[in-house]
Amino acid sequence: MPPLRTLALGLTLTLASAQLAAAQSKTTPKKTTTVSKKPTTAKKATPNASAAKPAATPATPVKVPLTADEASSGLREALSQGVTRAVAQGSAPDGFTANADIRIPFPPEAEIVALTLRKLKAGALVDNFEVALNRAAETASAQAKPIFLNAVQNLTLQDALTLATSRESDAATTLLYEKTAADLRTAFQPTVQQSLDQTGATRLYAEMVARYNKIPLVTKLSPQLAPYATEKTVDGLFALIAAEEGRIRQNPAGQGSALLKRVFGK
């Protein structure tokens, strides 16, 4: 083959190879890297333990029924405590005088004496007597405690269970009054009489009655004061005892006694 022809053939083959390579580079797809994402799995919600389990209901404590002995002992303790506090209040300065609930008024059967003397410009005598009368109740009250406590201890509380659970705030005091008031007055009257003498109430009352009896055409009165003063002093102390019983029933836990809390606790 002549050299010129051989050279032409070589150029032709070289050009063809170059075109073929260029064509292959255009048609070969570019390799891409695909990152596959892991499927997201929804996280299970953890149920709230407190919501999942219902709250436990606290067991209601069962109160053991009272026995008659417990009720009786509790009522006696309540009354004894009431007596102690009532005596302290009644015997304090102005315990009767300044307490409108138990202040002893002029004897009703002799009210005409007070009205008449006031008209006669002797009202100061009436006022002084009323103060002396209530001072006598205060003085006598200081000596009432053993008499009242003895009555409490001798009281037979046959209806103790009923009284302990009664809705009446003064149920036990009322029973004590009904059972013992008459005997208490009899036992207490000498003490009251002595107090009336000490405070001058006896003298002042006798003076007022004497002045009244001198008025023409009036019905004469007897200056007997001790029975009336005794009755009112005893009644006043019972009123204070009833108030103390009411406080114990309302707040037995505040009395510092396990028995009172047991008997009167709701």
Side-chain angles (χ1 to χ4, degrees):
M1 182 179 294
L4 182 58
R5 191 173 177 180
T6 301
L7 179 60
L9 180 59
L11 292 172
T12 303
L13 290 173
T14 301
L15 181 60
S17 298
Q19 290 177 345
L20 179 60
Q24 288 179 347
S25 64
K26 288 182 179 180
T27 57
T28 302
K30 186 178 180 181
K31 187 176 180 180
T32 57
T33 303
T34 304
V35 180
S36 60
K37 293 184 179 181
K38 292 183 179 181
T40 302
T41 304
K43 187 177 179 181
K44 290 185 178 180
T46 302
N48 190 331
S50 62
K53 295 181 180 180
T57 303
T60 303
V62 178
K63 183 177 180 180
V64 179
L66 286 174
T67 65
D69 184 62
E70 286 177 324
S72 178
S73 298
L75 286 171
R76 284 194 176 91
E77 181 173 336
L79 288 172
S80 296
Q81 184 169 306
V83 166
T84 300
R85 293 179 178 177
V87 167
Q89 293 174 38
S91 62
D94 291 331
F96 273 76
T97 307
N99 188 336
D101 293 331
I102 62 174
R103 179 183 170 89
I104 303 176
F106 202 92
E109 66 274 13
E111 186 65 33
I112 185 64
V113 176
L115 293 174
T116 302
L117 291 179
R118 289 190 186 281
K119 290 179 180 179
L120 296 175
K121 308 299 183 182
L125 180 61
V126 177
D127 294 337
N128 291 338
F129 164 73
E130 288 187 354
V131 171
L133 175 61
N134 283 274
R135 294 285 185 236
E138 294 161 8
T139 302
S141 294
Q143 304 176 52
K145 185 176 177 179
I147 299 175
F148 275 71
L149 289 180
N150 183 64
V152 170
Q153 296 306 317
N154 291 334
L155 184 61
T156 301
L157 297 175
Q158 296 178 348
D159 299 323
L161 288 173
T162 301
L163 290 172
T165 57
S166 174
R167 293 185 178 181
E168 297 296 329
S169 63
D170 60 349
T173 304
T174 299
L175 177 64
L176 180 65
Y177 183 88
E178 292 173 351
K179 298 289 186 180
T180 67
D183 292 338
L184 284 171
R185 288 169 185 153
T186 299
F188 200 40
Q189 184 164 320
T191 301
V192 174
Q193 180 64 69
Q194 183 180 8
S195 297
L196 291 170
D197 295 341
Q198 289 177 352
T199 62
T202 301
R203 176 183 56 78
L204 291 170
Y205 190 64
E207 182 180 344
M208 287 188 299
V209 171
R211 287 194 184 187
Y212 176 78
N213 287 340
K214 290 179 180 180
I215 300 174
L217 304 178
V218 300
T219 302
K220 307 300 181 183
L221 294 177
S222 175
Q224 293 298 320
L225 183 61
Y228 170 75
T230 301
E231 178 183 359
K232 290 302 180 182
T233 302
V234 170
D235 289 352
L237 289 173
F238 267 112
L240 295 175
I241 295 171
E244 288 300 326
E245 180 188 349
R247 278 188 277 272
I248 291 172
R249 286 181 181 273
Q250 185 176 10
N251 182 25
Q255 308 305 317
S257 168
L259 179 59
L260 291 180
K261 183 177 180 180
R262 162 84 173 133
V263 173
F264 296 106
K266 304 301 181 183

